[in-house]
Amino acid sequence: MATTPAAAGGAAILDTLGDFTSRENWDKFFALRGTGDSFEWYAEWEDLQAPLLSLLRGCGAEAGGGKGPEILVPGCGSSVLSERLYDAGFCRVTNVDFSRVLVADMLRRHARARPEMRWRVMDMTDMQFTDGSFDVILDKGGLDALMEPEAGTKLGMKYLNEAKRVLKSGGKFACLTLAESHVLALLLSEFRFGWDMSIQAIGNESSKKSAFQTFMVVMVKGNMGIVHPVQSLLDQSAQFCNMKQANDVIHDLEKENTIRESYSSGVDVILSLRDLQLGAVGDLKVIIPGRRRMFILGEQGNSLYCYKAVILDARKRTETFVYHCGIFIVPKARAHEWLFASEEGQWHVVESAKAARLIMVFLDSRHANADMDVIKNDLSPLVKDLEPGNPEEEARIPFMMAGDGVKRREILQEVTSEITGPMVVEDVVYENSDGDQSSMTEKMFRRLIFKRNSGLVQSEALLVSDSNNEKADDKNKRSPSASKKRRNQKKGPSGSKTVLRIDHSYLGSSYHSSIISGLSLIASALNFAAVSGTKVSTTVIGLGAGTLPMFLRGCLPFLDIQIVELDPLVQELAKKYFGFSTDEQLQVHLGDGIKFIDDIDVASNGATTQLMSNGNENNAVKILIVDVDSSDVSSGLSCPHANFVEDSFLLATKKFLDEGGLFIINLVSRSSAVREMVVSRLKVAFEHLYSLHLEEDLNEVLFATPSERCLDIDNMDEAVAKLKAMLKFPVDVGSDIKKLQKLQ
C-alpha cells in the first residue's frame, strides 16, 4: 500500500527525518516505517504514467538488443515508481539509495517478482558507475531533498555533476520537482549550455489532492557551447494546484530565456568561471585552436579576490609547446599596453609563452599591495578545471608574469584612522607606465591606499614638475630661507631635485572618466547653466584624495561642489599630499552622507537650505555622485556601502534631485545576484537608469534620474559634442559613451 505525507501525518514524518541529507536519519525513517510499505512524497503514478511513458518511448530502444533504455532512479526511496515502470515493460532499471535499510527491504520485495531490476546502496552524489552508463535518469524528489535552503547548493551541484557524467550523449534527465526558486535556479544555470531543456506541470487527477504543484523538468544531453531557450509547456491560463507556485516558475523561465537569448545573440557577454566549466565555450579538456574568451575568475565565498581573465588556446598546433597550460599574470600598470590589451598582442604573448593554452589574468586596484604568493595561491584552485586533458603532464600549472608593474616606490606616510582603518600614501613609478617603449620620461604617481579592503588603491594622482615654484626658487636661492625650501624638495623621477605637484587635470581612475562622460546625459542642462552664468549644484559623497572634485572644479567651473566625507583624517591626507583645497566653489562637510541628504530633504520642505546652493536655490539641475567604498564586503558589495543602495536612501535621493537631476553611483560587486538587486532597486526608485561598464575593471557606473526632463537621449552625438565643448580638460567622452546602455 502506498502512503503520502498527508496520509501518514506529514509533520510527524518530517520531524522523524530532520536533516534530509543524513544517511542515519533515512535509515531510521525507513526502519520505523517497517517493511512492505511504499511512500510517495508527491506525484502519484496515476498522474505520472502518461508523461513518463511518453518520455521513455524510443529512448535507447536499439540498445541492449531492443530491451529498452537503461534507466537510473537516484534516491529511489520506497516509491512505487520503479516497479510501475518495470511492469510497463521498462525492465532495465537501476535504483540507487544510500539507506541500507531501504535497499535491503526493496530487494526482498522485488527480487523474485522483478528479477531484472537492480538495487544499489550508493550515494547519489558519488556514484560508482562508468561515464555514459544510462539512457535516462529519473529523479523524483532527490534533488529537492539535497537542496534544503540552509544547506546551500554544494550537494545539489555535486549530484548534478554526477548525473551529467553517467548520462549518455543524447540521454534524458527527467527531474520531478516542486521547482522551488533555489532548486529551479540551480537546474536552469547548470543545464544552460549544451542541453535541450523543457518543463511541464504534472496533472493531479488522482484521489490524493496536493497543496503543491509537481513539475517535470527534462534535460536532453547535447553539444557543449550551444544555448537553447527553455521550452515551457506551462499554460498560463491553466488551473494549477498552487497558482503562486506556478506563476513564480513561469516568471523564472521568462528571466532565464532572456539570459539565454543574450548568450546566443552574439553579444560578447562576460562569462563566469562556472559558465566555462558548464561548457559555454565548448569542452575545456580539448584544445580548440584559436579559441579566445573573456571571463571572470573567482566569486564571493570561493576566493579572496575576483579577477578579469581571458582564456586563449594557441592558434596553431605545434610540437614545440613547453607547457600544455600556463597562467600569465598582468599587473594593473601594464594592463593597458598593446601587448596585453589587444587581441593581437595577446596572441603574441601566447606564442612567446610556448603554451598550448594560456590563461591571462589581469590585476587591478583591488589587488594592489597583495602579496603575489597570496594571489597565486588564490588562483591555483580556480584554474584547475581550465586545464586541458593531458595524461602525460602532471606538473602544476606554471605561473608567468609581466613584472609587478612598480619600478620604484616611496612610502610617504602610514596612518590608521578609527573610521577608515590603515591608510598608506606612497609615490610610485610604474614600468612602462605610458605604454610607450621609446619614451625616456618616467611618470610618477601618488597613491592613497585603503588597506581594509585588500589594499584598495582608493585614489591615484599624476605628479608633475611645478615650474612656477622652480623659477621662484632660482630667484631666491641665495636667500636665508633657500636652504629650508630645498629641504622640502624631493628627487623627481629622473633623480634630480625638483618641486612636484599634483596635476589636477589628470584622472587616474577610468571610472572617474566614465562619470564625466556620463554627464552627456544632461549636457543641454549643463550648457544652459554655463551660458546663463548659473551654478549647478553638485554633491559628491566620498572625498578620497580629492582628485575627482578637484578635476570637476577645474574642468567645469560652473559647478557648485559640495563634498561629504565621514573621516576627517582622509581630508587631512588629501590636503597634505594631494593638493586638495576648498574655496567658494568647492566645500567639504564632515559627516555622514546619508544624513546629509536627509537633512537637505527636510530643509527643502521649509526654508531653502544654504548648504547646497550658496544662494542659487533655483538650480534647474542637480548632480549627486556616490563614490564610497565599503568596509564590509560580506554583503557582496565592494562599492558603495550597502546603506547607499537601501530603498530609503534611494527615495531620499529621488526627492533631493527634485525631478531635475542625475544620480551617479560607482558600483563594484563580486556577486551578480547583488548587482541585480541593486539595479532592481534603482529601477523602482528612478524612471530612467543607464549603465556604463568598464572593460578594464569590474567597476560599473550607474546613472539614474527620476524623469527625462533634463535628459539628452534623442541625440547623444550632439550631447557628447556639447559636453566636450564645455570641458576645460581633455576626456575621451566619445569612446566611453559608446558603452552606455539603458537598463530596461
Side-chain angles (χ1 to χ4, degrees):
M1 152 179 132
T3 59
T4 64
I13 292 172
L14 290 176
D15 289 342
T16 301
L17 271 174
D19 180 5
F20 281 21
T21 65
S22 167
R23 184 194 308 261
E24 291 75 16
N25 285 357
W26 281 107
D27 280 343
K28 180 180 178 181
F29 171 78
F30 288 118
L32 289 174
R33 292 191 58 80
T35 61
D37 191 16
S38 61
F39 182 84
E40 308 294 337
W41 283 102
Y42 37 73
E44 300 293 328
W45 173 251
E46 293 90 333
D47 302 324
L48 293 172
Q49 182 176 4
L52 281 184
L53 295 184
S54 176
L55 176 77
L56 294 173
R57 289 191 184 99
C59 290
E62 298 177 359
K67 293 183 179 180
E70 284 282 0
I71 301 172
L72 173 68
V73 182
C76 60
S78 58
S79 169
V80 300
L81 175 64
S82 298
E83 63 184 83
R84 295 289 187 265
L85 289 174
Y86 191 99
D87 295 344
F90 297 95
C91 301
R92 305 171 74 197
V93 180
T94 300
N95 300 279
V96 165
D97 203 289
F98 66 0
S99 170
R100 292 185 179 276
V101 173
L102 177 280
V103 171
D105 181 44
M106 298 302 277
L107 276 171
R108 282 192 297 268
R109 290 167 56 184
H110 299 293
R112 292 185 179 179
R114 300 172 181 87
E116 294 182 56
M117 190 153 59
R118 297 179 292 273
W119 301 87
R120 299 286 185 271
V121 177
M122 196 178 293
D123 185 343
M124 59 196 284
T125 68
D126 185 20
M127 294 184 280
Q128 283 75 58
F129 298 118
T130 58
D131 295 358
S133 295
F134 298 97
D135 300 291
V136 179
I137 298 175
L138 294 181
D139 176 325
K140 185 169 182 282
L143 178 63
D144 287 4
L146 292 176
M147 290 284 289
E148 291 188 87
E150 60 272 16
T153 62
K154 184 177 180 180
L155 285 176
M157 289 180 65
K158 191 176 179 183
Y159 161 54
L160 293 182
N161 285 337
E162 280 291 272
K164 294 176 188 178
R165 182 184 66 80
V166 302
L167 190 65
K168 295 177 181 178
S169 179
K172 298 177 180 179
F173 177 18
C175 183
L176 294 162
T177 172
L178 297 181
E180 293 177 275
S181 59
H182 63 291
V183 177
L184 185 58
L186 184 67
L187 282 171
L188 293 173
S189 61
E190 289 294 297
F191 292 92
R192 185 172 289 156
F193 304 102
W195 296 79
D196 285 314
M197 196 170 186
S198 64
I199 183 168
Q200 68 183 87
I202 299 299
N204 193 4
E205 304 299 330
S206 66
S207 58
K208 297 163 184 174
K209 299 296 181 182
S210 172
F212 297 100
Q213 178 66 56
T214 303
F215 299 89
M216 183 167 74
V217 186
V218 179
M219 286 73 64
V220 182
K221 191 173 185 178
N223 297 320
M224 283 188 174
I226 300 176
V227 182
H228 299 290
V230 181
Q231 183 183 10
S232 175
L233 304 177
L234 304 177
D235 184 353
Q236 296 192 28
S237 63
Q239 291 298 312
F240 299 95
C241 299
N242 187 311
M243 292 303 296
K244 182 183 183 306
Q245 183 190 3
N247 287 331
D248 287 345
V249 170
I250 292 170
H251 176 68
D252 289 343
L253 292 180
E254 290 174 348
K255 287 175 58 179
E256 174 65 17
N257 278 334
T258 300
I259 294 171
R260 294 189 179 212
E261 184 179 355
S262 68
Y263 281 116
S264 58
S265 64
V267 177
D268 192 15
V269 179
I270 297 179
L271 302 173
S272 67
L273 173 60
R274 186 59 185 161
D275 289 335
L276 265 62
Q277 292 169 334
L278 293 172
V281 295
D283 190 352
L284 292 176
K285 293 301 179 184
V286 178
I287 296 291
I288 301 177
R291 174 166 54 184
R292 174 185 177 273
R293 193 62 191 263
M294 302 289 298
F295 68 103
I296 300 298
L297 265 173
E299 59 184 18
Q300 186 178 6
N302 291 335
S303 60
L304 293 175
Y305 299 101
C306 196
Y307 310 86
K308 175 187 170 185
V310 58
I311 184 171
L312 300 123
D313 283 356
R315 291 185 289 188
K316 297 180 180 179
R317 296 183 183 274
T318 174
E319 300 297 326
T320 60
F321 287 136
V322 177
Y323 308 108
H324 76 291
C325 186
I327 313 299
F328 195 96
I329 299 176
V330 181
K332 176 181 181 293
R334 303 193 63 183
H336 68 284
E337 295 179 23
W338 173 86
L339 195 61
F340 309 114
S342 70
E343 181 176 348
E344 186 179 356
Q346 291 171 359
W347 288 122
H348 276 282
V349 176
V350 175
E351 293 174 10
S352 300
K354 299 187 182 300
R357 172 174 295 165
L358 194 69
I359 302 163
M360 193 174 289
V361 178
F362 297 86
L363 303 186
D364 55 40
S365 57
R366 291 161 305 159
H367 310 117
N369 286 4
D371 185 86
M372 191 49 58
D373 287 337
V374 173
I375 293 287
K376 291 178 180 179
N377 289 335
D378 196 35
L379 284 170
S380 290
L382 297 178
V383 300
K384 185 177 180 182
D385 287 341
L386 299 178
E387 185 177 11
N390 191 338
E392 297 179 1
E393 179 64 73
E394 297 182 358
R396 293 182 61 186
I397 302 177
F399 282 92
M400 295 165 266
M401 190 169 178
D404 65 5
V406 176
K407 183 177 181 180
R408 189 164 60 251
R409 175 185 283 112
E410 178 186 355
I411 295 178
L412 304 182
Q413 184 172 351
E414 294 184 87
V415 63
T416 299
S417 162
E418 293 183 359
I419 298 174
T420 307
M423 294 181 284
V424 176
V425 179
E426 64 180 16
D427 288 347
V428 298
V429 174
Y430 293 121
E431 295 177 346
N432 301 321
S433 61
D434 58 4
D436 184 357
Q437 297 286 350
S438 63
S439 175
M440 298 300 294
T441 304
E442 293 179 327
K443 292 181 180 179
M444 180 176 285
F445 297 87
R446 181 159 293 170
R447 311 197 305 188
L448 173 62
I449 296 170
F450 288 178
K451 285 192 167 184
R452 72 183 182 189
N453 211 348
S454 301
L456 172 71
V457 178
Q458 203 284 334
S459 300
E460 182 175 87
L462 176 65
L463 288 165
V464 295
S465 173
D466 190 344
S467 57
N468 291 330
N469 278 338
E470 288 178 0
K471 290 177 181 178
D473 189 48
D474 287 339
K475 292 180 181 179
N476 298 300
K477 60 184 178 181
R478 297 184 181 277
S479 68
S481 62
S483 59
K484 179 180 179 181
K485 187 168 186 176
R486 279 193 291 273
R487 284 197 300 271
N488 292 329
Q489 295 173 343
K490 65 181 295 181
K491 289 185 178 182
S494 62
S496 62
K497 288 186 177 180
T498 185
V499 176
L500 298 178
R501 65 173 177 81
I502 300 296
D503 181 359
H504 288 122
S505 68
Y506 170 85
L507 284 177
S509 298
S510 53
Y511 78 87
H512 280 168
S513 297
S514 297
I515 289 174
I516 303 299
S517 298
L519 296 178
S520 299
L521 289 166
I522 54 171
S524 293
L526 295 178
N527 186 61
F528 176 81
V531 172
S532 63
T534 58
K535 294 290 186 181
V536 174
S537 173
T538 304
T539 304
V540 181
I541 299 180
L543 173 65
T547 54
L548 177 61
M550 291 293 285
F551 181 92
L552 287 170
R553 179 171 68 180
C555 191
L556 296 168
F558 54 85
L559 298 185
D560 176 27
I561 306 168
Q562 306 292 319
I563 314 296
V564 187
E565 172 55 48
L566 186 63
D567 192 342
L569 189 53
V570 169
Q571 182 186 13
E572 181 181 322
L573 293 176
K575 288 182 175 180
K576 183 177 181 181
Y577 292 105
F578 291 88
F580 177 74
S581 62
T582 59
D583 56 20
E584 290 185 357
Q585 185 191 351
L586 193 160
Q587 297 180 6
V588 175
H589 305 274
L590 292 173
D592 181 271
I594 294 175
K595 186 177 185 301
F596 183 83
I597 297 299
D598 287 340
D599 289 345
I600 295 295
D601 287 341
V602 171
S604 66
N605 289 329
T608 301
T609 180
Q610 297 299 312
L611 282 174
M612 295 301 305
S613 62
N614 288 334
N616 295 290
E617 63 271 14
N618 295 317
N619 292 333
V621 64
K622 291 180 180 178
I623 300 170
L624 173 59
I625 302 171
V626 173
D627 183 19
V628 292
D629 75 311
S630 174
S631 59
D632 177 20
V633 294
S634 62
S635 65
L637 272 178
S638 298
C639 187
H641 190 282
N643 289 346
F644 287 95
V645 291
E646 291 291 341
D647 293 334
S648 56
F649 178 73
L650 297 180
L651 291 175
T653 297
K654 179 179 180 179
K655 184 179 179 182
F656 165 78
L657 294 177
D658 192 27
E659 299 298 323
L662 192 63
F663 176 40
I664 306 174
I665 189 166
N666 176 36
L667 176 66
V668 181
S669 176
R670 300 177 65 181
S671 166
S672 59
V674 171
R675 185 260 179 194
E676 288 301 319
M677 177 270 293
V678 172
V679 168
S680 65
R681 288 181 180 178
L682 283 164
K683 286 180 179 178
V684 170
F686 296 92
E687 185 176 342
H688 300 277
L689 181 63
Y690 294 84
S691 166
L692 210 165
H693 201 286
L694 280 67
E695 294 180 357
E696 64 272 22
D697 290 315
L698 291 178
N699 296 68
E700 181 179 11
V701 183
L702 299 174
F703 304 87
T705 182
S707 78
E708 62 180 17
R709 182 164 63 88
C710 295
L711 282 181
D712 289 318
I713 53 177
D714 295 329
N715 192 338
M716 284 305 297
D717 289 339
E718 183 179 334
V720 168
K722 283 183 181 179
L723 179 65
K724 291 177 72 173
M726 286 182 277
L727 299 177
K728 305 300 182 184
F729 302 144
V731 178
D732 191 4
V733 178
S735 296
D736 280 345
I737 215 68
K738 289 178 182 178
K739 307 170 191 172
L740 189 72
Q741 292 183 329
K742 182 174 177 61
L743 300 180
Q744 302 294 339

